[in-house]
Amino acid sequence: MLESYKVPSEDIVIEEEIKHSRFISFLFHCDSIDKLKLVLTDIKRDYPGASHYCYAFVAGAPDDSVLIGSSDDGEPAGCAGRPMLALLQGANIGEIGAIVVRYYGGTKLGVGGLVRAYTSGLRQGLIQLPTRLKQLRYPAKLHCDYAQLRDVEHLLQQVNAVIIDKQFAEAVDIEFEIGRQQQALLCELLATLSQGSLQPEFEL
């Protein structure tokens, strides 16, 4: 299972003219089908009257085979969306969307020509695309005394955990998220801090 993966940190636009047709390729962060639809709506508004708006997306981890999709938007089947998706999947970048806008210039490109045209801008864009590392974190809980809270928060920060919620009653219940690789270290640090009394619960 992946502990982290690259995601786009900025958007990129590549514009080309191929045999009199204008191709505008967009690469962007896309963590859901809703985000894809939102960007597609904006692009259709900003680039009206195009012949085709083809897209592909991988909305999860790079190896996710569920949160993916593509559309040829009226181009011959398999000439646009699927090659675009294959390119995204081969880039080893997660949460990424691609939309290619085509203004038809009157010259037919043929099947091979379309595949090359719809992937050309994306190939260039993927080389230039700025990325950041997304750390995967998983839910966990911890029960501590008020006197321990500041030290516990400091330890959670040390292991790159993120506090989601704190409930204050007779003691403090902390909900947080943490990477799998940091779990053992956190247990060690908490045991040292509390002489073994603090034990986090990790969700499987």
Side-chain angles (χ1 to χ4, degrees):
M1 181 182 286
L2 289 173
E3 289 296 328
S4 61
Y5 54 84
K6 290 188 289 185
V7 299
S9 58
E10 291 178 32
D11 299 346
I12 269 199
V13 183
I14 303 282
E15 192 164 337
E16 301 175 286
E17 188 176 300
I18 300 171
K19 291 189 177 176
H20 310 299
S21 278
R22 186 174 160 217
F23 289 87
I24 308 154
S25 303
F26 301 84
L27 285 165
F28 52 95
H29 182 246
C30 178
D31 55 6
S32 68
I33 182 72
D34 289 337
K35 174 70 185 290
L36 185 281
K37 287 175 179 173
L38 199 65
V39 175
L40 187 59
T41 300
D42 288 347
I43 286 174
K44 284 182 175 179
R45 181 198 63 217
D46 295 341
Y47 296 84
S51 321
H52 306 280
Y53 302 87
C54 303
Y55 66 77
F57 66 92
V58 179
D63 58 355
D64 197 313
S65 58
V66 179
L67 297 172
I68 62 174
S70 64
S71 168
D72 295 313
D73 191 34
E75 291 282 30
C79 286
R82 209 173 300 155
M84 288 165 61
L85 179 59
L87 202 58
L88 297 186
Q89 289 176 311
N92 203 31
I93 299 171
E95 298 179 15
I96 184 169
I99 294 172
V100 179
V101 177
R102 180 190 187 190
Y103 287 93
Y104 182 54
T107 303
K108 291 191 174 181
L109 300 178
V111 171
L114 283 172
V115 171
R116 286 190 294 275
Y118 274 101
T119 54
S120 172
L122 298 188
R123 284 183 200 281
Q124 296 172 54
L126 285 166
I127 292 168
Q128 302 170 31
L129 184 68
T131 59
R132 63 179 175 82
L133 203 61
K134 175 171 179 167
Q135 185 78 40
L136 294 186
R137 296 184 178 91
Y138 301 88
K141 293 176 183 173
L142 181 64
H143 185 80
C144 73
D145 295 331
Y146 280 84
Q148 297 168 315
L149 180 59
R150 182 173 289 185
D151 288 332
V152 166
E153 286 179 328
H154 178 65
L155 290 186
L156 289 174
Q157 200 174 5
Q158 270 187 288
V159 296
N160 205 21
V162 176
I163 294 173
I164 305 300
D165 190 30
K166 286 182 281 193
Q167 298 288 334
F168 299 96
E170 288 179 22
V172 186
D173 286 307
I174 305 171
E175 290 182 24
F176 60 97
E177 292 182 345
I178 183 171
R180 294 240 192 269
Q181 291 172 324
Q182 281 79 38
Q183 290 177 357
L185 175 59
L186 177 62
C187 289
E188 281 177 37
L189 292 171
L190 288 170
T192 304
L193 173 70
S194 66
Q195 294 169 338
S197 67
L198 287 177
Q199 295 181 333
E201 294 174 40
F202 302 114
E203 287 190 22
L204 297 175

